[in-house]
Amino acid sequence: MASQGQFAIVTGASTGIGLELARCCAKDGFDLLIVADEPEIEQAAASLRANGARVEAIQADLATSEGVEKLCTATQGRPVDALLANAGRGLGRAFLDQDLGEIRRVIDTNVTGTVELIHKIGNDMRRRNAGRILITGSIAGFTPGAFQAIYNGTKAFLNSFSFAIREELRDTKITVTCLMPGATETEFFRRADMMDTKIGTEDKDDAGDVARQGFDAMMAGEGDVVTGLKNKVQSSVANVTPAAALAKQHRSQAEPGTAKH
């Protein structure tokens, strides 16, 4: 990829919010390096190129240090103007019923890999004193996630982490933005084995709308954006509701067998 124009990396870009974030970057003139841990990333790249975008795609598992290093190597030393750290995994059902290997994979993808990637790219940005970072958190991070305990816990970490490093970088020209969507129409709930739950089957926000709000907030240098009026209300209520009550409420949404019929 020739060194022309702004350069963005979007992770978890094969489907859903990640793919839509990549589309937003492309429409704004960014050259793109997109990544996911599945071969569908090549189809995503082809769809973006069909609309005139300059795109390279790699398949890499960002739950591993090897995958993060593969992504960083693929930049070929080109300065990254925007890092959209969107890769993430969900996992439904009761904690003690979940496979420990799957639990670790969610943590390694959502937290460990994200932190490692931001540390590497962020240090390059600091040396140049320029760059934008968008982290896909979630309003799930405001709620103890009964029957989604690991996922909600990782999103609580990402929400907190985003605000913390934004403050640390306050006196630089690097911005950090946290995108905090609610339930969004993607492959997330099917992959998380949650299609027999209320939250898995109810109406959700449009991924394109969510991505556009996140992208606009990143470009404006805003600290965070909660997408959708319903989610804004929900996040505000969560801040003043006891944790035990929130966990009980979440159970009614995420416990297996609560799907709408």
Side-chain angles (χ1 to χ4, degrees), residues 74-199:
T75 68
Q76 299 180 338
R78 182 173 178 181
V80 178
D81 299 291
L83 170 61
L84 293 84
N86 171 77
R89 289 182 175 274
L91 189 61
R93 307 198 178 272
F95 169 70
L96 294 179
D97 294 333
Q98 294 169 343
D99 176 77
L100 186 57
E102 292 182 356
I103 288 171
R104 285 175 171 158
R105 186 157 179 75
V106 170
I107 295 171
D108 287 343
T109 302
N110 297 8
V111 175
T112 310
T114 299
V115 167
E116 186 171 349
L117 179 61
I118 291 173
H119 192 266
K120 287 179 178 293
I121 300 297
N123 267 292
D124 288 336
M125 289 179 172
R126 185 169 63 173
R127 280 188 281 272
R128 294 182 289 111
N129 194 27
R132 305 175 191 275
I133 298 171
L134 177 70
I135 299 172
T136 301
S138 174
I139 65 165
F142 299 129
T143 302
F147 294 90
Q148 231 179 334
I150 297 300
Y151 174 77
N152 284 37
T154 64
K155 291 300 182 177
F157 172 88
L158 289 177
N159 293 354
S160 174
F161 173 69
S162 177
F163 283 108
I165 63 173
R166 177 181 173 84
E167 174 60 25
E168 292 174 4
L169 294 167
R170 182 180 61 184
D171 296 326
T172 73
K173 295 182 180 179
I174 302 165
T175 61
V176 182
T177 304
C178 189
L179 169 59
M180 293 182 281
T184 305
E185 195 61 57
T186 67
E187 291 292 300
F188 174 88
F189 292 96
R190 181 185 63 79
R191 292 176 175 177
D193 191 22
M194 296 183 67
M195 295 309 295
D196 61 345
T197 67
K198 185 175 185 293
I199 194 171

Side-chain angles (χ1 to χ4, degrees), residues 4-72:
Q4 298 177 359
Q6 296 273 289
F7 179 42
I9 293 174
V10 185
T11 70
S14 56
T15 61
I17 295 172
L19 177 55
E20 297 299 333
L21 285 169
R23 288 194 174 118
C24 290
C25 289
K27 288 177 182 177
D28 209 58
F30 282 87
D31 294 342
L32 280 165
L33 175 59
I34 61 173
V35 60
D37 63 355
E38 56 186 5
E40 285 79 3
I41 192 65
E42 295 294 344
Q43 298 171 20
S47 71
L48 292 164
R49 292 187 193 110
N51 292 319
R54 297 167 56 85
V55 186
E56 287 190 8
I58 63 167
Q59 185 177 342
D61 184 0
L62 299 182
T64 68
S65 291
E66 293 79 10
V68 172
E69 187 59 36
K70 181 178 180 180
L71 173 56
C72 291

Side-chain angles (χ1 to χ4, degrees), residues 227-256:
T227 58
L229 177 60
K230 176 183 175 183
N231 298 324
K232 293 180 192 296
V233 171
Q234 186 175 331
S235 61
S236 297
V237 170
N239 286 328
V240 295
T241 303
L246 291 172
K248 184 176 182 180
Q249 181 184 53
H250 196 276
R251 177 180 194 140
S252 70
Q253 295 284 320
E255 185 173 13

